[in-house]
Amino acid sequence: NDDWVFEWRGLIGKDYRFKGSSVITPFTGVGYRYWNDDIDFPGAYEREIQYWYIPIGVKAMSALAGDWIWGMSIEYDIFLGGEVKSHFSDIHPAFNDPENDQDFGDGYGVGLSLKFSRKLSDNYGVSIDPYIRYWDIDESDTSTLTAYGIPIGYVIEPENDTTVYGMRLNITF
């Protein structure tokens, strides 16, 4: 497979300071996720999956010893809706490329991340962020599959879940 994911998020939050240097930040916003899943073998096809969602969460940061700061973020993502386009014309040019809608509330996402950061100088810093994100999406609406413009069947995007985990290394300047 040749998969890639693009995610854009706009967030707003307010910092609440307590116990010296500790900060808690509740946040919300809007997010967009695009996943291109291009399966590469005979009879396979490309899929484009798009989601809009509202992240709601909280982030906490606190000082550690040796100029290190640690934090964590937890969030819940309200699924606003989406669309899956299946490029069946990749299998045979006679087929159309059905688009299946996914409606408000037809899924959710959750995320958890940790953060360990340290300022190296007045101009530079580093952080290490292990994270995990999970999506649970319900079955899509039905769409019509055609061959040469004649309806021959119906398609759905089945119920699915996705878990993404990893480690980010950030250099700040």
Side-chain angles (χ1 to χ4, degrees):
N1 289 3
D2 186 13
D3 286 65
W4 60 274
V5 175
F6 168 82
E7 191 162 353
W8 172 89
R9 296 156 50 97
L11 300 174
I12 187 167
K14 175 151 176 54
D15 291 345
Y16 294 95
R17 297 191 182 282
F18 67 99
K19 293 186 181 180
S21 62
S22 296
V23 178
I24 291 183
T25 308
F27 63 86
T28 189
V30 64
Y32 171 79
R33 181 175 189 257
Y34 174 87
W35 175 18
N36 188 287
D37 179 24
D38 194 0
I39 303 167
D40 188 22
F41 62 84
Y45 56 94
E46 177 185 11
R47 294 181 324 135
E48 296 179 84
I49 300 123
Q50 302 179 66
Y51 303 156
W52 285 95
Y53 63 95
I54 296 175
I56 298 173
V58 65
K59 180 171 80 168
M61 301 289 290
S62 189
L64 287 173
D67 294 330
W68 282 91
I69 296 173
W70 84 276
M72 68 175 290
S73 178
I74 188 166
E75 76 177 59
Y76 180 81
D77 300 318
I78 299 170
F79 186 81
L80 295 177
E83 179 182 86
V84 178
K85 182 174 183 177
S86 300
H87 292 263
F88 287 161
S89 60
D90 292 349
I91 300 169
H92 193 281
F95 294 135
N96 67 325
D97 294 334
E99 296 179 8
N100 294 89
D101 290 331
Q102 295 172 308
D103 301 322
F104 174 80
D106 281 356
Y108 67 92
V110 291
L112 174 67
S113 67
L114 299 175
K115 182 175 198 140
F116 301 94
S117 62
R118 185 168 192 264
K119 193 171 183 179
L120 301 174
S121 71
D122 287 340
N123 297 322
Y124 297 98
V126 65
S127 71
I128 301 166
D129 306 5
Y131 66 91
I132 186 166
R133 301 230 350 116
Y134 173 77
W135 284 99
D136 184 315
I137 307 297
D138 296 340
E139 182 178 289
S140 72
D141 295 344
T142 304
S143 185
T144 304
L145 176 64
T146 65
Y148 297 108
I150 300 167
I152 61 169
Y154 299 98
V155 295
I156 61 160
E157 176 68 15
E159 177 182 339
N160 63 81
D161 59 17
T162 305
T163 303
V164 177
Y165 54 89
M167 181 91 61
R168 287 184 285 261
L169 173 62
N170 301 299
I171 306 294
T172 57
F173 51 95

